[in-house]
């Protein structure tokens, strides 16, 4: 059983256990991700951040015809603005990232 981790609402204080949900990205993928930025997009960015980011990663999986996805977008964007520089946010369109979605169980 893993040791208890610190959690809470402050991303800087979050220490969550690393899981092996996603495979490691190709080595060249890290060059395409700016780790200083907060907002990213695509499955490759998600894989890279999942394995290499020091900040918590939030992924928004969406589909172009999903009404709930569109409804949630402004709420998610407000949270991302509030935690700018403290988290990584990845916008992942499901139909363009099928392999990543299968790893995530979406």
């Amino acid at each position: 059983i893993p040791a208890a981790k610190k959690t809470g609402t402050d991303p800087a204080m979050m220490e969550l256990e690393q899981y092996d949900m996603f495979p490691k990205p190709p080595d060249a993928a890290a060059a395409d991700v700016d780790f200083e930025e907060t907002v990213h997009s695509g499955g490759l960015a998600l894989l890279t951040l999942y394995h290499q980011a020091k900040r918590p990663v939030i992924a928004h999986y969406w589909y172009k015809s999903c009404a709930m996805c569109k409804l949630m977008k402004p709420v998610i964007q407000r949270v991302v603005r509030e935690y700018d520089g403290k988290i990584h946010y990845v916008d992942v369109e499901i139909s363009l990232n099928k392999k990543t979605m299968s790893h995530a169980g979406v």
Side-chain angles (χ1 to χ4, degrees), residues 44-66:
L44 196 54
L46 177 59
L47 294 179
T48 302
L49 291 166
Y50 178 82
H51 286 285
Q52 298 178 20
K54 302 286 189 238
R55 297 182 272 175
V57 178
I58 297 172
H60 176 221
Y61 303 105
W62 62 278
Y63 186 68
K64 58 187 170 192
S65 64
C66 172

Side-chain angles (χ1 to χ4, degrees), residues 1-73:
I1 298 175
K5 301 290 184 181
K6 294 185 287 185
T7 60
T9 58
D10 181 4
M13 299 299 294
M14 290 183 181
E15 291 180 18
L16 303 176
E17 209 174 313
Q18 181 75 31
Y19 294 100
D20 291 325
M21 178 187 301
F22 296 112
K24 296 230 184 254
D27 291 335
D32 294 334
V33 175
D34 183 354
F35 290 91
E36 298 300 315
E37 292 293 323
T38 298
V39 178
H40 311 273
S41 65
L44 196 54
L46 177 59
L47 294 179
T48 302
L49 291 166
Y50 178 82
H51 286 285
Q52 298 178 20
K54 302 286 189 238
R55 297 182 272 175
V57 178
I58 297 172
H60 176 221
Y61 303 105
W62 62 278
Y63 186 68
K64 58 187 170 192
S65 64
C66 172
M68 185 57 72
C69 299
K70 292 176 184 176
L71 183 67
M72 290 301 299
K73 186 83 172 180

